[in-house]
């Protein structure tokens, strides 16, 4: 029976990465097959029941540097999220300023966004109809992050930018309604063993190749979520940090999940995530 309360913890299924045999490099296609709705891949997933803590009321305990994620209340001026060009024109600039405010960064380059609208039974996974991702993952490896700098910045600027600290940070926000259905779970970096828990996966686009991390099961993982995030709330999700000396979180495994406490009449989740290169002087 779903509860409409505010539970301190829930137990829910997390889909973990199981790499292919014999050291074969893992891959997944970015787009789904139009007939089957499946994204072609050569690895499997293993479902584990994990305790996920609701950090509502304790949001300030989690920062980009200590946990790899950070919550903040910041209503957006742009609220339609129906037209990509309007999003780029209106939402990108205001969000770039929010990035700078929350991180102290000197330069922010937003390079793309994804809108996800949960539509049960819909198999089309075209860019206009992305569904929540139900697999523990990290969006960028170190290699992919460096490639992003070269891809999105002028060739003459990239070498100097790469000499200083830079990060890739996603900014995730619910659209229209609270994200009670299919909320986002984030794994506290302090519970992750990076060299064992995160394995590279080739991300195959029609015209190029990226690289993400698949996250393998570790019983020590500490999963968190902010139950019922509203469109006025955001979470920053660190996908990469060039500082890798052990002093700060480098990345944050994350996934959508089915929350057993979701009210049966909760509206389907809608969300937008921006991805940005974040530079420091």
């Amino acid at each position: 029976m779903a509860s409409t309360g505010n539970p301190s913890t829930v137990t829910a299924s997390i889909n973990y990465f199981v790499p292919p045999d014999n050291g074969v490099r893992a891959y997944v296609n970015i787009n789904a097959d139009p007939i089957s709705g499946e994204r072609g891949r050569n690895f499997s997933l293993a479902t584990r029941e994990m305790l996920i803590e609701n950090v509502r009321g304790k949001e300030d305990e989690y920062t980009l540097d200590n946990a790899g994620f950070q919550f903040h209340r910041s209503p957006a001026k742009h609220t339609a999220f129906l037209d990509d060009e309007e999003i780029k024109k209106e939402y990108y600039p205001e969000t770039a300023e929010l990035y700078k405010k929350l991180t102290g960064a000197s330069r922010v380059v937003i390079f793309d966004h994804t809108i996800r609208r949960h539509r049960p039974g819909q198999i089309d996974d075209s860019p206009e109809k992305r569904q929540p991702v139900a697999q523990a993952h990290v969006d960028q490896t170190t290699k992919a992050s460096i490639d992003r700098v070269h891809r999105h910045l002028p060739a003459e600027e990239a070498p100097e930018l790469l000499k200083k600290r830079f990060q890739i940070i996603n900014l995730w926000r619910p659209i229209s309604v609270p994200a009670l259905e299919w909320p986002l779970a984030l794994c506290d970096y302090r519970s992750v063993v990076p060299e064992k828990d995160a394995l590279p996966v080739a991300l195959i686009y029609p015209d190029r190749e990226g690289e993400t991390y698949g996250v393998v099961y570790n019983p020590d993982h500490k999963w968190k979520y902010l139950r019922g995030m509203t469109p006025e709330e955001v979470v920053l999700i660190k996908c990469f940090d060039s500082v890798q000396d052990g002093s700060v979180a480098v990345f944050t495994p994350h996934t959508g999940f089915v929350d057993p406490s979701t009210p049966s009449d909760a509206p389907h989740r809608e969300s937008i995530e921006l991805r940005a290169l974040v530079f420091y002087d």
Side-chain angles (χ1 to χ4, degrees):
M1 177 67 71
S3 167
T4 57
N6 194 36
S8 58
T9 61
V10 296
T11 298
S13 298
I14 299 289
N15 292 318
Y16 279 102
F17 175 74
V18 179
D21 294 332
N22 304 318
V24 174
R25 188 186 187 207
Y27 74 85
V28 62
N29 290 310
I30 185 69
N31 291 323
D33 182 279
I35 297 174
S36 69
E38 298 294 323
R39 299 166 71 194
R41 67 187 189 206
N42 68 341
F43 59 87
S44 58
L45 300 176
T47 301
R48 301 282 187 164
E49 295 299 303
M50 302 296 286
L51 193 71
I52 306 176
E53 181 184 3
N54 173 19
V55 300
R56 177 72 65 184
K58 299 188 289 185
E59 298 95 320
D60 292 347
E61 295 179 15
Y62 302 92
T63 69
L64 285 167
D65 278 351
N66 69 19
F69 57 89
Q70 187 168 318
F71 298 101
H72 186 69
R73 180 176 174 82
S74 181
K77 295 175 184 175
H78 179 89
T79 58
F81 300 112
L82 295 173
D83 180 273
D84 279 348
E85 290 310 310
E86 284 189 3
I87 290 170
K88 292 174 183 177
K89 181 181 177 181
E90 298 177 5
Y91 187 58
Y92 277 27
E94 66 168 295
T95 306
E97 291 307 308
L98 181 58
Y99 271 106
K100 290 179 181 178
K101 173 185 172 183
L102 296 179
T103 66
S106 54
R107 184 175 182 181
V108 173
V109 178
I110 297 171
F111 57 84
D112 71 10
H113 70 273
T114 301
I115 291 176
R116 301 187 188 277
R117 292 184 168 94
H118 184 213
R119 299 292 182 260
Q122 179 175 279
I123 64 169
D124 188 354
D125 195 37
S126 65
E128 295 77 29
K129 298 181 180 179
R130 296 269 189 235
Q131 300 277 359
V133 175
Q135 178 194 335
H137 68 286
V138 177
D139 289 19
Q140 315 281 342
T141 62
T142 295
K143 175 182 180 295
S145 300
I146 293 170
D147 287 347
R148 285 283 184 188
V149 175
H150 289 289
R151 181 178 174 82
H152 301 295
L153 276 298
E156 64 273 15
E157 294 182 28
E160 286 302 312
L161 290 170
L162 288 170
K163 291 178 182 178
K164 301 177 182 179
R165 186 184 190 185
F166 81 97
Q167 302 163 324
I168 293 182
I169 299 174
N170 293 4
L171 188 142
W172 189 93
R173 179 194 296 275
I175 294 174
S176 305
V177 296
L180 281 163
E181 190 233 32
W182 274 99
L184 192 67
L186 305 125
C187 190
D188 191 320
Y189 183 79
R190 292 167 289 192
S191 68
V192 175
V193 183
E195 61 274 14
K196 294 182 179 179
D197 296 352
L199 302 178
V201 179
L203 186 60
I204 309 300
Y205 291 84
D207 59 341
R208 61 187 178 88
E209 187 177 294
E211 191 174 64
T212 67
Y213 281 127
V215 178
V216 300
Y217 171 67
N218 178 338
D220 295 329
H221 284 164
K222 299 291 187 289
W223 289 96
K224 315 291 179 181
Y225 81 125
L226 188 61
R227 188 178 188 273
M229 276 187 71
T230 70
E232 291 73 46
E233 295 174 313
V234 301
V235 60
L236 296 175
I237 308 166
K238 188 188 288 187
C239 296
F240 169 80
D241 197 321
S242 62
V243 174
Q244 298 186 12
D245 59 5
S247 64
V248 297
V250 176
F251 56 68
T252 310
H254 55 283
T255 179
F257 74 101
V258 176
D259 181 353
S261 76
T262 298
S264 58
D265 61 350
H268 294 312
R269 189 249 269 188
E270 300 186 2
S271 61
I272 182 168
E273 60 210 73
L274 267 56
R275 300 177 184 88
L277 288 158
V278 179
F279 299 100
Y280 298 85
D281 287 334

